Amino acid sequence: MAVIARMLLRRVLILVPVLLGVILFVFVVMRFSDSKPEYAFFQGANPTPEQIHQFQVENGLLDPLPLRYVRFVGDLLHGNMGTSVLTKAPVLDSVTTALPLTMQLTFLGLGIAVVLSLVFGVTAAIFRDRWPDQVIRLVSLVGVAAPAFWLALLMIQYLAVGRGLFPTGGYINPADSFTGWLRSMTLPAVSLSLPVAAQLTRIVRTSVVEELDRDYVRTAIGNGLPPLVVVGRNVLRNALINPLTVLGLRIGYLLGGAVVIEQIYSLPGMGQLMINAVRDGDPAVVQGVVLTIAVGFMVVNLAVDVLYLLVNPRLRSAA
């Protein structure tokens, strides 16, 4: 545990400058974008130059960029992401309202991707170069090439509109109806997870095949241990080290892909919040959503690093 604690402390210290860099990047990009809060504030009206200037002075928009960046970081440290110029509501409130749905979608999709990749990846490795392996490799290749939004549209067309098995969109709170929540989240989570599952399947297959060719596996099976016991107890633990590394990066894909999927299925999550803010010219909300997703990606990768350390004893001894 002491080794894990030291590694975790080092990772956290590394994340601090990375986080400041992400904040700086988002801050600079938003300041040079076409989204101007002064114009969004007067949306639908014809403000005079004096009114625009007064708004800029009151909100510190004419201050030097370094000063505005320091003030912005200071506000973030106090839990203040700014205020929406359209709704006049704190951005943090909007983010905390939308974030749970995005997390539900992301981790439900992650769970589906992990289960599918383990089942099909291990199956393909066990039946290496036989017809189950060939079929799984072909399907996974198609899955890697298929974008999530295209799969989402196909599922809506054939499973929601065509057969009526699932709703075409919308969200039901699990507190109101767990069955309704599951039906409303199934198609979005599956369409989000399939490209990730396809990529992980190929990586799991390769890792398991390499592990099955090792001497200790042949020795264990030769000594009478059932192959399923050897695969489940030893092979999988060693073979999952490489897929874990890719999984951390793919979670970032899931978070980013949720932006598009939420829009397709009309889910009121972070993606829909950001797209609406971009459309309405509300830079504070866009800034808050992007920073939240970036921080979430960093936290998830930190958790994957810890998990990677737990399953790899050699790394623990090296640390």
Side-chain angles (χ1 to χ4, degrees), residues 118-141:
L118 285 177
V119 171
F120 291 111
V122 173
T123 301
I126 293 175
F127 295 94
R128 176 177 20 173
D129 295 331
R130 285 180 275 179
W131 71 266
D133 180 28
Q134 301 294 340
V135 171
I136 291 174
R137 290 168 66 184
L138 178 61
V139 172
S140 64
L141 182 62

PDB file of all heavy atoms in Angstrom, residues 118-141:
ATOM      1  N   LEU A 118     -14.017  -8.756 -23.311  1.00  0.00           N
ATOM      2  CA  LEU A 118     -13.494  -9.932 -22.603  1.00  0.00           C
ATOM      3  C   LEU A 118     -14.072 -11.222 -23.163  1.00  0.00           C
ATOM      4  O   LEU A 118     -13.340 -12.192 -23.418  1.00  0.00           O
ATOM      5  CB  LEU A 118     -13.804  -9.823 -21.107  1.00  0.00           C
ATOM      6  CG  LEU A 118     -12.963  -8.836 -20.298  1.00  0.00           C
ATOM      7  CD1 LEU A 118     -13.445  -8.779 -18.854  1.00  0.00           C
ATOM      8  CD2 LEU A 118     -11.490  -9.218 -20.348  1.00  0.00           C
ATOM      9  N   VAL A 119     -15.374 -11.225 -23.374  1.00  0.00           N
ATOM     10  CA  VAL A 119     -16.023 -12.445 -23.877  1.00  0.00           C
ATOM     11  C   VAL A 119     -15.502 -12.802 -25.258  1.00  0.00           C
ATOM     12  O   VAL A 119     -15.053 -13.937 -25.512  1.00  0.00           O
ATOM     13  CB  VAL A 119     -17.549 -12.271 -23.892  1.00  0.00           C
ATOM     14  CG1 VAL A 119     -18.215 -13.441 -24.618  1.00  0.00           C
ATOM     15  CG2 VAL A 119     -18.089 -12.167 -22.471  1.00  0.00           C
ATOM     16  N   PHE A 120     -15.532 -11.857 -26.164  1.00  0.00           N
ATOM     17  CA  PHE A 120     -15.155 -12.161 -27.546  1.00  0.00           C
ATOM     18  C   PHE A 120     -13.644 -12.222 -27.721  1.00  0.00           C
ATOM     19  O   PHE A 120     -13.142 -13.022 -28.534  1.00  0.00           O
ATOM     20  CB  PHE A 120     -15.765 -11.120 -28.492  1.00  0.00           C
ATOM     21  CG  PHE A 120     -17.254 -11.210 -28.605  1.00  0.00           C
ATOM     22  CD1 PHE A 120     -18.061 -10.212 -28.091  1.00  0.00           C
ATOM     23  CD2 PHE A 120     -17.856 -12.306 -29.199  1.00  0.00           C
ATOM     24  CE1 PHE A 120     -19.440 -10.301 -28.175  1.00  0.00           C
ATOM     25  CE2 PHE A 120     -19.233 -12.404 -29.298  1.00  0.00           C
ATOM     26  CZ  PHE A 120     -20.030 -11.405 -28.773  1.00  0.00           C
ATOM     27  N   GLY A 121     -12.899 -11.421 -26.983  1.00  0.00           N
ATOM     28  CA  GLY A 121     -11.442 -11.475 -27.098  1.00  0.00           C
ATOM     29  C   GLY A 121     -10.877 -12.788 -26.603  1.00  0.00           C
ATOM     30  O   GLY A 121     -10.018 -13.397 -27.258  1.00  0.00           O
ATOM     31  N   VAL A 122     -11.341 -13.253 -25.447  1.00  0.00           N
ATOM     32  CA  VAL A 122     -10.867 -14.537 -24.912  1.00  0.00           C
ATOM     33  C   VAL A 122     -11.335 -15.688 -25.795  1.00  0.00           C
ATOM     34  O   VAL A 122     -10.581 -16.647 -26.055  1.00  0.00           O
ATOM     35  CB  VAL A 122     -11.355 -14.715 -23.467  1.00  0.00           C
ATOM     36  CG1 VAL A 122     -11.017 -16.111 -22.955  1.00  0.00           C
ATOM     37  CG2 VAL A 122     -10.732 -13.660 -22.560  1.00  0.00           C
ATOM     38  N   THR A 123     -12.581 -15.626 -26.276  1.00  0.00           N
ATOM     39  CA  THR A 123     -13.089 -16.676 -27.155  1.00  0.00           C
ATOM     40  C   THR A 123     -12.260 -16.771 -28.425  1.00  0.00           C
ATOM     41  O   THR A 123     -11.898 -17.877 -28.873  1.00  0.00           O
ATOM     42  CB  THR A 123     -14.563 -16.400 -27.516  1.00  0.00           C
ATOM     43  OG1 THR A 123     -15.344 -16.348 -26.318  1.00  0.00           O
ATOM     44  CG2 THR A 123     -15.106 -17.494 -28.425  1.00  0.00           C
ATOM     45  N   ALA A 124     -11.946 -15.622 -29.017  1.00  0.00           N
ATOM     46  CA  ALA A 124     -11.139 -15.626 -30.242  1.00  0.00           C
ATOM     47  C   ALA A 124      -9.749 -16.191 -29.979  1.00  0.00           C
ATOM     48  O   ALA A 124      -9.194 -16.908 -30.816  1.00  0.00           O
ATOM     49  CB  ALA A 124     -11.035 -14.208 -30.800  1.00  0.00           C
ATOM     50  N   ALA A 125      -9.178 -15.903 -28.807  1.00  0.00           N
ATOM     51  CA  ALA A 125      -7.838 -16.405 -28.492  1.00  0.00           C
ATOM     52  C   ALA A 125      -7.853 -17.915 -28.273  1.00  0.00           C
ATOM     53  O   ALA A 125      -6.934 -18.631 -28.711  1.00  0.00           O
ATOM     54  CB  ALA A 125      -7.301 -15.701 -27.255  1.00  0.00           C
ATOM     55  N   ILE A 126      -8.871 -18.408 -27.592  1.00  0.00           N
ATOM     56  CA  ILE A 126      -8.954 -19.857 -27.330  1.00  0.00           C
ATOM     57  C   ILE A 126      -9.147 -20.630 -28.627  1.00  0.00           C
ATOM     58  O   ILE A 126      -8.563 -21.701 -28.822  1.00  0.00           O
ATOM     59  CB  ILE A 126     -10.087 -20.145 -26.327  1.00  0.00           C
ATOM     60  CG1 ILE A 126      -9.724 -19.564 -24.951  1.00  0.00           C
ATOM     61  CG2 ILE A 126     -10.351 -21.642 -26.217  1.00  0.00           C
ATOM     62  CD1 ILE A 126     -10.819 -19.699 -23.927  1.00  0.00           C
ATOM     63  N   PHE A 127      -9.983 -20.085 -29.525  1.00  0.00           N
ATOM     64  CA  PHE A 127     -10.225 -20.739 -30.822  1.00  0.00           C
ATOM     65  C   PHE A 127      -9.378 -20.089 -31.916  1.00  0.00           C
ATOM     66  O   PHE A 127      -9.849 -19.852 -33.027  1.00  0.00           O
ATOM     67  CB  PHE A 127     -11.706 -20.662 -31.188  1.00  0.00           C
ATOM     68  CG  PHE A 127     -12.610 -21.421 -30.274  1.00  0.00           C
ATOM     69  CD1 PHE A 127     -13.227 -20.798 -29.205  1.00  0.00           C
ATOM     70  CD2 PHE A 127     -12.816 -22.779 -30.463  1.00  0.00           C
ATOM     71  CE1 PHE A 127     -14.059 -21.505 -28.357  1.00  0.00           C
ATOM     72  CE2 PHE A 127     -13.647 -23.501 -29.625  1.00  0.00           C
ATOM     73  CZ  PHE A 127     -14.269 -22.864 -28.558  1.00  0.00           C
ATOM     74  N   ARG A 128      -8.133 -19.850 -31.603  1.00  0.00           N
ATOM     75  CA  ARG A 128      -7.238 -19.151 -32.514  1.00  0.00           C
ATOM     76  C   ARG A 128      -7.171 -19.820 -33.883  1.00  0.00           C
ATOM     77  O   ARG A 128      -7.004 -21.037 -34.004  1.00  0.00           O
ATOM     78  CB  ARG A 128      -5.845 -19.113 -31.889  1.00  0.00           C
ATOM     79  CG  ARG A 128      -4.768 -18.507 -32.744  1.00  0.00           C
ATOM     80  CD  ARG A 128      -3.425 -18.426 -32.056  1.00  0.00           C
ATOM     81  NE  ARG A 128      -3.274 -19.331 -30.928  1.00  0.00           N
ATOM     82  CZ  ARG A 128      -2.135 -19.514 -30.284  1.00  0.00           C
ATOM     83  NH1 ARG A 128      -1.056 -18.852 -30.656  1.00  0.00           N
ATOM     84  NH2 ARG A 128      -2.073 -20.354 -29.278  1.00  0.00           N
ATOM     85  N   ASP A 129      -7.331 -18.984 -34.927  1.00  0.00           N
ATOM     86  CA  ASP A 129      -7.234 -19.385 -36.333  1.00  0.00           C
ATOM     87  C   ASP A 129      -8.328 -20.345 -36.768  1.00  0.00           C
ATOM     88  O   ASP A 129      -8.253 -20.911 -37.867  1.00  0.00           O
ATOM     89  CB  ASP A 129      -5.860 -20.007 -36.636  1.00  0.00           C
ATOM     90  CG  ASP A 129      -4.734 -19.011 -36.474  1.00  0.00           C
ATOM     91  OD1 ASP A 129      -4.978 -17.803 -36.680  1.00  0.00           O
ATOM     92  OD2 ASP A 129      -3.615 -19.423 -36.108  1.00  0.00           O
ATOM     93  N   ARG A 130      -9.354 -20.530 -35.922  1.00  0.00           N
ATOM     94  CA  ARG A 130     -10.518 -21.309 -36.331  1.00  0.00           C
ATOM     95  C   ARG A 130     -11.681 -20.367 -36.613  1.00  0.00           C
ATOM     96  O   ARG A 130     -11.555 -19.161 -36.452  1.00  0.00           O
ATOM     97  CB  ARG A 130     -10.872 -22.334 -35.250  1.00  0.00           C
ATOM     98  CG  ARG A 130      -9.888 -23.523 -35.241  1.00  0.00           C
ATOM     99  CD  ARG A 130     -10.239 -24.531 -34.178  1.00  0.00           C
ATOM    100  NE  ARG A 130      -9.661 -24.171 -32.880  1.00  0.00           N
ATOM    101  CZ  ARG A 130      -9.840 -24.874 -31.768  1.00  0.00           C
ATOM    102  NH1 ARG A 130     -10.607 -25.956 -31.785  1.00  0.00           N
ATOM    103  NH2 ARG A 130      -9.269 -24.500 -30.634  1.00  0.00           N
ATOM    104  N   TRP A 131     -12.803 -20.936 -37.038  1.00  0.00           N
ATOM    105  CA  TRP A 131     -13.868 -20.076 -37.534  1.00  0.00           C
ATOM    106  C   TRP A 131     -14.398 -19.074 -36.495  1.00  0.00           C
ATOM    107  O   TRP A 131     -14.728 -17.946 -36.876  1.00  0.00           O
ATOM    108  CB  TRP A 131     -15.009 -20.899 -38.142  1.00  0.00           C
ATOM    109  CG  TRP A 131     -15.841 -21.674 -37.160  1.00  0.00           C
ATOM    110  CD1 TRP A 131     -15.696 -22.967 -36.777  1.00  0.00           C
ATOM    111  CD2 TRP A 131     -16.968 -21.158 -36.435  1.00  0.00           C
ATOM    112  NE1 TRP A 131     -16.639 -23.309 -35.857  1.00  0.00           N
ATOM    113  CE2 TRP A 131     -17.449 -22.217 -35.634  1.00  0.00           C
ATOM    114  CE3 TRP A 131     -17.616 -19.926 -36.385  1.00  0.00           C
ATOM    115  CZ2 TRP A 131     -18.552 -22.071 -34.787  1.00  0.00           C
ATOM    116  CZ3 TRP A 131     -18.710 -19.782 -35.553  1.00  0.00           C
ATOM    117  CH2 TRP A 131     -19.168 -20.834 -34.765  1.00  0.00           C
ATOM    118  N   PRO A 132     -14.528 -19.425 -35.196  1.00  0.00           N
ATOM    119  CA  PRO A 132     -14.969 -18.374 -34.255  1.00  0.00           C
ATOM    120  C   PRO A 132     -13.998 -17.191 -34.213  1.00  0.00           C
ATOM    121  O   PRO A 132     -14.425 -16.026 -34.130  1.00  0.00           O
ATOM    122  CB  PRO A 132     -15.010 -19.106 -32.908  1.00  0.00           C
ATOM    123  CG  PRO A 132     -15.174 -20.543 -33.254  1.00  0.00           C
ATOM    124  CD  PRO A 132     -14.371 -20.723 -34.495  1.00  0.00           C
ATOM    125  N   ASP A 133     -12.712 -17.489 -34.269  1.00  0.00           N
ATOM    126  CA  ASP A 133     -11.703 -16.429 -34.265  1.00  0.00           C
ATOM    127  C   ASP A 133     -11.825 -15.571 -35.508  1.00  0.00           C
ATOM    128  O   ASP A 133     -11.769 -14.327 -35.432  1.00  0.00           O
ATOM    129  CB  ASP A 133     -10.315 -17.067 -34.169  1.00  0.00           C
ATOM    130  CG  ASP A 133      -9.205 -16.016 -34.155  1.00  0.00           C
ATOM    131  OD1 ASP A 133      -9.462 -14.883 -33.698  1.00  0.00           O
ATOM    132  OD2 ASP A 133      -8.093 -16.317 -34.604  1.00  0.00           O
ATOM    133  N   GLN A 134     -12.008 -16.200 -36.663  1.00  0.00           N
ATOM    134  CA  GLN A 134     -12.108 -15.446 -37.911  1.00  0.00           C
ATOM    135  C   GLN A 134     -13.338 -14.543 -37.920  1.00  0.00           C
ATOM    136  O   GLN A 134     -13.269 -13.371 -38.341  1.00  0.00           O
ATOM    137  CB  GLN A 134     -12.161 -16.421 -39.098  1.00  0.00           C
ATOM    138  CG  GLN A 134     -10.962 -17.342 -39.224  1.00  0.00           C
ATOM    139  CD  GLN A 134      -9.685 -16.587 -39.544  1.00  0.00           C
ATOM    140  OE1 GLN A 134      -9.727 -15.459 -40.025  1.00  0.00           O
ATOM    141  NE2 GLN A 134      -8.529 -17.214 -39.304  1.00  0.00           N
ATOM    142  N   VAL A 135     -14.450 -15.059 -37.436  1.00  0.00           N
ATOM    143  CA  VAL A 135     -15.682 -14.264 -37.415  1.00  0.00           C
ATOM    144  C   VAL A 135     -15.535 -13.076 -36.457  1.00  0.00           C
ATOM    145  O   VAL A 135     -15.904 -11.934 -36.788  1.00  0.00           O
ATOM    146  CB  VAL A 135     -16.885 -15.142 -37.004  1.00  0.00           C
ATOM    147  CG1 VAL A 135     -18.123 -14.282 -36.771  1.00  0.00           C
ATOM    148  CG2 VAL A 135     -17.169 -16.180 -38.083  1.00  0.00           C
ATOM    149  N   ILE A 136     -15.003 -13.328 -35.275  1.00  0.00           N
ATOM    150  CA  ILE A 136     -14.849 -12.247 -34.279  1.00  0.00           C
ATOM    151  C   ILE A 136     -13.882 -11.191 -34.781  1.00  0.00           C
ATOM    152  O   ILE A 136     -14.114  -9.984 -34.610  1.00  0.00           O
ATOM    153  CB  ILE A 136     -14.379 -12.846 -32.941  1.00  0.00           C
ATOM    154  CG1 ILE A 136     -15.500 -13.694 -32.323  1.00  0.00           C
ATOM    155  CG2 ILE A 136     -13.951 -11.749 -31.974  1.00  0.00           C
ATOM    156  CD1 ILE A 136     -15.089 -14.444 -31.079  1.00  0.00           C
ATOM    157  N   ARG A 137     -12.805 -11.597 -35.415  1.00  0.00           N
ATOM    158  CA  ARG A 137     -11.846 -10.622 -35.935  1.00  0.00           C
ATOM    159  C   ARG A 137     -12.458  -9.776 -37.041  1.00  0.00           C
ATOM    160  O   ARG A 137     -12.207  -8.561 -37.113  1.00  0.00           O
ATOM    161  CB  ARG A 137     -10.600 -11.353 -36.436  1.00  0.00           C
ATOM    162  CG  ARG A 137      -9.768 -11.952 -35.301  1.00  0.00           C
ATOM    163  CD  ARG A 137      -8.720 -12.912 -35.816  1.00  0.00           C
ATOM    164  NE  ARG A 137      -7.705 -12.244 -36.609  1.00  0.00           N
ATOM    165  CZ  ARG A 137      -6.722 -12.899 -37.227  1.00  0.00           C
ATOM    166  NH1 ARG A 137      -6.629 -14.225 -37.128  1.00  0.00           N
ATOM    167  NH2 ARG A 137      -5.820 -12.243 -37.928  1.00  0.00           N
ATOM    168  N   LEU A 138     -13.274 -10.398 -37.898  1.00  0.00           N
ATOM    169  CA  LEU A 138     -13.930  -9.645 -38.974  1.00  0.00           C
ATOM    170  C   LEU A 138     -14.933  -8.637 -38.404  1.00  0.00           C
ATOM    171  O   LEU A 138     -14.954  -7.464 -38.802  1.00  0.00           O
ATOM    172  CB  LEU A 138     -14.628 -10.604 -39.932  1.00  0.00           C
ATOM    173  CG  LEU A 138     -15.413  -9.958 -41.083  1.00  0.00           C
ATOM    174  CD1 LEU A 138     -14.475  -9.144 -41.972  1.00  0.00           C
ATOM    175  CD2 LEU A 138     -16.151 -11.018 -41.901  1.00  0.00           C
ATOM    176  N   VAL A 139     -15.746  -9.102 -37.460  1.00  0.00           N
ATOM    177  CA  VAL A 139     -16.755  -8.212 -36.872  1.00  0.00           C
ATOM    178  C   VAL A 139     -16.080  -7.072 -36.104  1.00  0.00           C
ATOM    179  O   VAL A 139     -16.519  -5.918 -36.167  1.00  0.00           O
ATOM    180  CB  VAL A 139     -17.701  -9.016 -35.950  1.00  0.00           C
ATOM    181  CG1 VAL A 139     -18.628  -8.071 -35.185  1.00  0.00           C
ATOM    182  CG2 VAL A 139     -18.510 -10.011 -36.765  1.00  0.00           C
ATOM    183  N   SER A 140     -15.017  -7.374 -35.376  1.00  0.00           N
ATOM    184  CA  SER A 140     -14.325  -6.327 -34.621  1.00  0.00           C
ATOM    185  C   SER A 140     -13.673  -5.315 -35.563  1.00  0.00           C
ATOM    186  O   SER A 140     -13.617  -4.119 -35.236  1.00  0.00           O
ATOM    187  CB  SER A 140     -13.276  -6.942 -33.698  1.00  0.00           C
ATOM    188  OG  SER A 140     -12.245  -7.590 -34.443  1.00  0.00           O
ATOM    189  N   LEU A 141     -13.199  -5.770 -36.708  1.00  0.00           N
ATOM    190  CA  LEU A 141     -12.618  -4.845 -37.679  1.00  0.00           C
ATOM    191  C   LEU A 141     -13.678  -3.873 -38.201  1.00  0.00           C
ATOM    192  O   LEU A 141     -13.429  -2.669 -38.331  1.00  0.00           O
ATOM    193  CB  LEU A 141     -11.998  -5.624 -38.839  1.00  0.00           C
ATOM    194  CG  LEU A 141     -11.294  -4.795 -39.925  1.00  0.00           C
ATOM    195  CD1 LEU A 141     -10.118  -4.028 -39.330  1.00  0.00           C
ATOM    196  CD2 LEU A 141     -10.820  -5.706 -41.064  1.00  0.00           C
TER     197      LEU A 141
END
